[in-house]
């Protein structure tokens, strides 16, 4: 399924395919025409993807072919052992985690996992974790701390599950506890928004020494659609809401709420997943190496100072 702003590019690429097929079938000399069309496609792509609106970046973050947490983990790790359950209620399939080896470095990976078809989405609860998901995440963080292994969280959620049963089991308390406990973890913590970063559902695994976002992701207290519904009683104003929320990676970097923006291939992470995996992998290894030079006390103090300094107070 193509996004609206991708359709002109897709039409040009279809013409390119037809032209190449013509060259094969008829031995026609269209090499020059093919070269001109390829240059035109590249130009249109650059113009399109460097001038995206905030709403268009939200759409890209939700692209059906965009890599999910387990895609990154399996592609970056030589070995990965998934760990299950919160040792209290259940194993939340919307939150995944476990130890993986990245170039010989053992890392605890934790993140929300979505599904690509109806069955998978139901199984993963659309990437919306219940309280047991956040409690599982905290259990795995403490396990990583016990064995002195760095933690990497991959954030991609439309929000924590809002059902009444989740509230009955302590959704707010579980997220709040994670936020509190992550401040004092004695190992490096790296948080990366790889898709949607909505509300407390994202923040529940997003307190780290380094917080980063992929180029075409968003991070906000609320989604544009829900913001539009609250303010205008309709989803029709989601584009205006996205602009007002200032939720893109560039916005977050400008507000000093994140440390770094990780570039994506032209066209988004789904356009060249292998390149995206390699970029994220190298960023993780670089940051782990830098953070491991700090003492435990420095890690904790810097993390607390980092988040305490966010925001502005006006009297």
């Amino acid at each position: 399924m193509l996004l609206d702003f991708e359709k002109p590019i897709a039409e040009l690429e279809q013409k390119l395919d037809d032209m190449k097929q013509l060259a094969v079938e008829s031995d026609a000399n269209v090499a020059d025409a093919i070269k001109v069309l390829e240059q035109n496609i590249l130009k249109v792509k650059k113009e399109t993807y460097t001038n995206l609106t905030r709403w268009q970046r939200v759409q890209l973050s939700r692209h059906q072919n965009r890599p999910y947490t387990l895609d990154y983990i399996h592609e970056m790790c030589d070995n990965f052992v998934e760990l299950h359950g919160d040792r209290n209620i259940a194993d939340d399939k919307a939150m995944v985690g476990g130890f993986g080896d990245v170039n010989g470095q053992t890392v605890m990976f934790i993140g929300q996992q979505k599904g690509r078809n109806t069955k998978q989405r139901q199984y993963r609860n659309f990437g919306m974790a219940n309280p047991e998901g956040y409690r599982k995440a905290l259990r795995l963080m403490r396990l990583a701390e016990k064995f002195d292994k760095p933690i990497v969280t991959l954030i991609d959620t439309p929000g924590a599950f809002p059902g009444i049963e989740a509230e009955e089991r302590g959704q707010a308390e579980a997220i709040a506890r994670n936020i509190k406990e992550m401040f004092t973890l004695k190992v490096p913590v790296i948080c990366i928004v790889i898709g949607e970063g909505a509300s407390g559902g994202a923040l529940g695994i997003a307190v780290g020494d380094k917080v980063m976002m992929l180029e075409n992701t968003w991070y906000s207290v609320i989604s544009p659609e829900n913001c539009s519904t609250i303010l205008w009683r309709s989803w029709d104003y989601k584009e205006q809401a996205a602009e007002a929320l200032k939720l893109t990676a560039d916005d977050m970097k400008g507000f000093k709420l994140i440390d770094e923006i990780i570039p994506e291939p032209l066209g988004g992470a789904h356009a060249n997943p292998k390149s995206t995996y390699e970029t994220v992998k190298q960023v993780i290894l670089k940051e782990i190496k830098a953070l491991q030079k700090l003492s435990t006390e420095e890690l904790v103090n810097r993390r607390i100072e980092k988040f305490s300094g966010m925001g502005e107070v006006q009297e």
Side-chain angles (χ1 to χ4, degrees):
M1 181 179 175
L2 291 170
L3 300 172
D4 290 341
F5 58 89
E6 292 180 313
K7 290 178 181 178
I9 298 171
E11 290 173 2
L12 289 174
E13 289 177 335
Q14 183 60 53
K15 288 181 181 178
L16 180 62
D17 290 340
D18 293 342
M19 197 175 291
K20 288 179 178 179
Q21 186 65 30
L22 175 65
V24 172
E25 294 177 352
S26 65
D27 292 327
N29 187 7
V30 291
D32 290 341
I34 288 175
K35 186 176 181 180
V36 170
L37 186 53
E38 286 176 338
Q39 291 174 342
N40 190 28
I41 289 172
L42 182 59
K43 180 182 177 182
V44 172
K45 276 187 174 181
K46 286 181 178 178
E47 289 176 351
T48 300
Y49 290 104
T50 55
N51 294 289
L52 293 174
T53 66
R54 290 182 173 90
W55 171 244
Q56 287 171 336
R57 291 200 187 276
V58 170
Q59 289 179 294
L60 267 185
S61 76
R62 298 169 174 169
H63 198 286
Q64 62 180 2
N65 296 325
R66 191 174 179 86
Y68 293 151
T69 293
L70 286 176
D71 297 321
Y72 283 95
I73 290 173
H74 289 305
E75 289 295 329
M76 293 190 298
C77 296
D78 300 317
N79 296 293
F80 175 66
V81 179
E82 186 174 352
L83 302 173
H84 301 272
D86 68 340
R87 300 295 187 269
N88 194 12
I89 293 178
D91 180 38
D92 190 340
K93 306 300 182 183
M95 187 75 76
V96 298
F99 284 116
D101 289 331
V102 185
N103 284 16
Q105 169 68 60
T106 302
V107 177
M108 173 62 79
F109 285 97
I110 300 168
Q112 292 98 352
Q113 175 66 23
K114 296 177 177 177
R116 297 204 181 278
N117 55 42
T118 302
K119 187 175 181 180
Q120 289 178 0
R121 286 167 187 154
Q122 290 177 332
Y123 181 71
R124 298 292 181 183
N125 200 31
F126 299 86
M128 296 186 293
N130 278 279
E132 48 269 30
Y134 292 97
R135 289 174 182 135
K136 173 168 74 171
L138 182 57
R139 181 177 77 84
L140 298 187
M141 291 177 202
R142 288 302 184 194
L143 188 64
E145 183 183 50
K146 177 180 178 180
F147 292 107
D148 194 26
K149 302 301 180 185
I151 299 165
V152 173
T153 67
L154 301 175
I155 299 147
D156 187 13
T157 180
F161 185 59
I164 189 170
E165 61 272 31
E167 299 299 336
E168 289 173 342
R169 294 197 299 273
Q171 182 74 285
E173 186 276 338
I175 292 173
R177 181 173 294 276
N178 276 26
I179 294 171
K180 174 180 178 291
E181 297 292 333
M182 288 184 79
F183 278 118
T184 56
L185 288 170
K186 296 180 177 63
V187 293
V189 183
I190 299 167
C191 309
I192 305 174
V193 181
I194 61 170
E196 299 186 88
S199 194
L203 195 57
I205 58 168
V207 176
D209 303 293
K210 289 289 183 178
V211 180
M212 294 171 277
M213 294 174 68
L214 283 170
E215 184 180 352
N216 296 305
T217 62
W218 63 275
Y219 196 14
S220 175
V221 70
I222 194 171
S223 71
E225 294 94 331
N226 288 334
C227 178
S228 175
T229 300
I230 292 171
L231 295 181
W232 290 284
R233 310 285 181 176
S234 168
W235 280 28
D236 296 339
Y237 300 92
K238 53 187 177 291
E239 294 182 40
Q240 292 94 314
E243 291 297 319
L245 286 168
K246 293 181 171 55
L247 38 58
T248 66
D250 285 333
D251 293 322
M252 294 297 106
K253 185 72 164 35
F255 294 141
K256 298 181 180 179
L257 298 177
I258 65 168
D259 301 293
E260 186 178 334
I261 299 172
I262 302 174
E264 296 184 22
L266 188 61
H270 62 283
N272 191 340
K274 288 190 179 297
S275 174
T276 307
Y277 301 141
E278 185 60 27
T279 300
V280 172
K281 178 180 176 179
Q282 294 306 318
V283 167
I284 288 172
L285 290 172
K286 181 190 76 173
E287 296 299 342
I288 287 175
K289 186 177 180 180
L291 291 170
Q292 285 178 331
K293 295 177 181 178
L294 302 176
S295 68
T296 298
E297 187 177 356
E298 284 179 307
L299 273 177
V300 174
N301 288 340
R302 284 177 51 161
R303 197 181 303 144
I304 292 172
E305 289 173 6
K306 170 189 175 70
F307 282 84
S308 297
M310 291 181 179
E312 296 180 2
V313 178
Q314 293 182 344
E315 295 183 358

